[in-house]
Structures are given as C-alpha cells and as structure tokens.
C-alpha cells in the first residue's frame, strides 16, 4: 500500500466515523425535541384537567 493509498483509506474510515457521529447527534436532537413536545403536551393536558376539575367543583 502506498502512502497516498493509506491516507485515502484513513480518510474513508474517518469520514465513516464522522458520519456516524453526526447521525447520532441528529438522532439525539430529534429525541430531545420529541421529549420537549411531549412535556409541553402533558403540561397543557394537566392544566386543562385542573381547570375542568375546578369548574366542576365550583358548580357543586
């Protein structure tokens, strides 16, 4: 293997690792976004339930 051939192989391997790293980062970011959306929805539902229960208690 010549030096340029070795370098080419090393660059290919590095690109592969780098691509995996960035793909993992995108997946983590996507999971975080989904978790934030889930938490926001849970909070809205909790507030709606509390408002409903409070309105029900006031009419009794």
């Amino acid at each position: 293997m010549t030096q340029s051939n070795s370098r080419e192989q090393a660059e290919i391997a590095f690109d592969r690792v780098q691509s995996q790293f960035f793909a993992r980062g995108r997946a983590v970011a996507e999971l975080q976004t989904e978790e934030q959306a889930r938490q926001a929805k849970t909070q809205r539902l909790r507030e709606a339930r509390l408002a409903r229960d409070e309105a029900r208690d006031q009419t009794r």
Side-chain angles (χ1 to χ4, degrees):
M1 212 181 258
T2 65
Q3 185 176 359
S4 63
N5 208 3
S6 296
R7 181 181 174 105
E8 185 177 331
Q9 291 292 328
E11 287 178 359
I12 289 170
F14 177 77
D15 288 342
R16 192 175 305 131
V17 170
Q18 191 175 28
S19 294
Q20 291 172 351
F21 175 78
F22 286 123
R24 192 173 300 122
R26 284 190 302 272
V28 168
E30 185 178 323
L31 287 173
Q32 289 173 339
T33 300
E34 290 174 5
E35 177 62 23
Q36 289 171 347
R38 186 179 305 114
Q39 287 176 352
K41 183 177 181 180
T42 300
Q43 184 64 29
R44 285 191 309 273
L45 291 171
R46 181 179 292 122
E47 290 170 359
R49 179 178 46 81
L50 290 173
R52 181 198 67 204
D53 292 348
E54 185 177 323
R56 187 184 311 151
D57 289 345
Q58 288 178 355
T59 59
R60 289 184 176 176

